[in-house]
Amino acid sequence: MLYRLLLCLILGSFVSVSSMAATKTSEDQKTLEQTVFELERSVAILQLSTASLGDYQSLSTKMAHVKSLEYRVNFLGNLTFLLCMALVVFFFKLRNQQKRLLALENRENEKAIEQQSKDA
């Protein structure tokens, strides 16, 4: 019985030590990731601070070009939407006109049939 109790204590201490080691390594990994992130950010800031005026001007012209392309795409998208809506409205009007024309032709045919029956 004493051996079982001693075995349980040894296993319990082994599990607790291994879990503490696992948490320690995860904390070390988190601090390492944070350090790497801060270093990358510092490098990016350093690269920006050493950029020349020409770099900023070329970046500005590229941004302006991208903005103009964005405006063109937005305009063309809006124009395409309006053209599609115009086509939908046109087809509805055309359908209504066809119905009215068919009704008018039916009335004319009925009048012609009545006229023929009166003449006969």
Side-chain angles (χ1 to χ4, degrees), residues 11-27:
L11 286 176
S13 65
F14 178 72
V15 169
S16 66
V17 168
S18 65
S19 67
M20 286 177 19
T23 57
K24 180 68 175 164
T25 57
S26 66
E27 289 174 4

